[in-house]
């Protein structure tokens, strides 16, 4: 099991042009997670599309070409990395499907959530459609244990091979509920937006 201080927090930001206004929020989030002392490291990375159609990462919103690295480094097979992707889900990475495929790959190895800065009333207009229901996680399981999703009355049917990924507004309440779900303590059954990551 991953205890306090043994996990890493990976903060990713979609570096599409519409996301530039949210870069300060990403830095503030990084500072909050560092002050919590719950992680042995807090990584901040930006996602970029390359001209040849690949997905790349860097440590800057506007990187030099030499600063781009393969997105393969974002996965952690040990399950000790928690990923929070900050995105409005409308940019080129979502239109091409590359962001969806990345979410699916990351969710197979550890906890992943999308922090959506747009108001919830606009989420249905993005490239990451959501349905509403409840995520479940048994108490005491390791971080890499998969989440279980129970659809609400109007929830969409689960596609074969799909993985639930919470979509959260940027509020302390939403992040706190996600943290309790991951810790397996307190409220381990929480209403959340849900999307298929594949």
């Amino acid at each position: 099991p991953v205890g306090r201080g043994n996990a890493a927090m990976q903060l990713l930001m979609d570096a599409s042009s519409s996301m530039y206004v949210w870069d300060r929020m990403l830095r503030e989030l990084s500072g909050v997670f560092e002050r919590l002392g719950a992680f042995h490291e807090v990584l901040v990375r930006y996602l970029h599309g390359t001209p040849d159609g690949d997905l790349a990462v860097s440590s800057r919103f506007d990187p030099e070409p030499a600063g781009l690295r393969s997105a393969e480094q974002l996965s952690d097979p040990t399950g000790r990395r928690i990923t929070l992707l900050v995105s409005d889900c409308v940019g080129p990475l979502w239109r091409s499907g590359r962001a969806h495929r990345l979410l699916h790959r990351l969710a197979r190895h550890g906890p992943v959530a999308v922090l959506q800065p747009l108001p919830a009333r606009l989420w249905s207009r993005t490239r990451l459609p959501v349905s509403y229901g409840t995520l479940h996680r048994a108490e005491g399981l390791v971080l890499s244990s998969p989440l279980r999703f129970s659809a609400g009355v109007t929830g969409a049917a689960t596609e074969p091979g799909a993985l639930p990924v919470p979509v959260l507004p940027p509020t302390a309440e939403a992040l706190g509920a996600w943290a309790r779900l991951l810790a397996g303590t307190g409220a381990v059954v929480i209403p959340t937006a849900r999307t298929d990551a594949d």
Side-chain angles (χ1 to χ4, degrees):
V2 177
R4 179 180 173 86
N6 293 331
M9 170 58 73
Q10 179 170 245
L11 292 173
L12 304 179
M13 176 172 271
D14 169 11
S16 61
S17 58
S18 63
M19 287 300 299
Y20 187 79
V21 296
W22 304 109
D23 193 33
R24 180 176 176 181
M25 181 181 72
L26 180 74
R27 295 296 172 178
E28 291 173 351
L29 274 174
S30 174
V32 168
F33 286 125
E34 287 173 356
R35 289 190 296 274
L36 283 176
F39 306 102
H40 73 83
E41 66 178 339
V42 177
L43 305 167
V44 177
R45 297 289 182 265
Y46 296 87
L47 296 175
H48 308 272
T50 64
D52 57 1
D54 287 334
L55 189 63
V57 296
S58 75
S59 58
R60 297 177 53 195
F61 194 96
D62 296 309
E64 295 295 327
L68 293 175
R69 301 287 181 262
S70 170
E72 294 297 322
Q73 70 181 36
L74 300 175
S75 297
D76 178 16
T78 69
R80 292 190 174 100
R81 186 177 295 169
I82 299 169
T83 301
L84 187 62
L85 170 58
V86 181
S87 179
D88 58 12
C89 307
V90 298
L93 297 180
W94 298 96
R95 290 196 296 272
S96 69
R98 285 177 285 184
H100 302 85
R101 291 189 290 274
L102 174 66
L103 279 181
H104 187 77
R105 188 168 76 242
L106 294 175
R108 284 178 14 225
H109 297 298
V112 178
V114 173
L115 188 71
Q116 169 60 274
L118 296 179
R121 68 180 185 278
L122 300 178
W123 292 2
S124 62
R125 303 181 189 179
T126 73
R127 297 284 179 156
L128 189 63
V130 299
S131 56
Y132 291 86
T134 303
L135 282 174
H136 309 261
R137 181 175 178 273
E139 192 166 339
L141 296 179
V142 295
L143 278 179
S144 57
S145 299
L147 297 173
R148 297 188 315 273
F149 177 76
S150 299
V153 175
T154 59
T158 302
E159 295 294 329
L163 299 173
V165 174
V167 180
L168 312 170
T171 65
E173 293 79 12
L175 288 169
W178 183 51
R180 288 191 299 274
L181 178 71
L182 297 182
T185 60
V188 295
V189 180
I190 59 170
T192 183
R194 174 261 195 193
T195 183
D196 296 333
D198 63 347

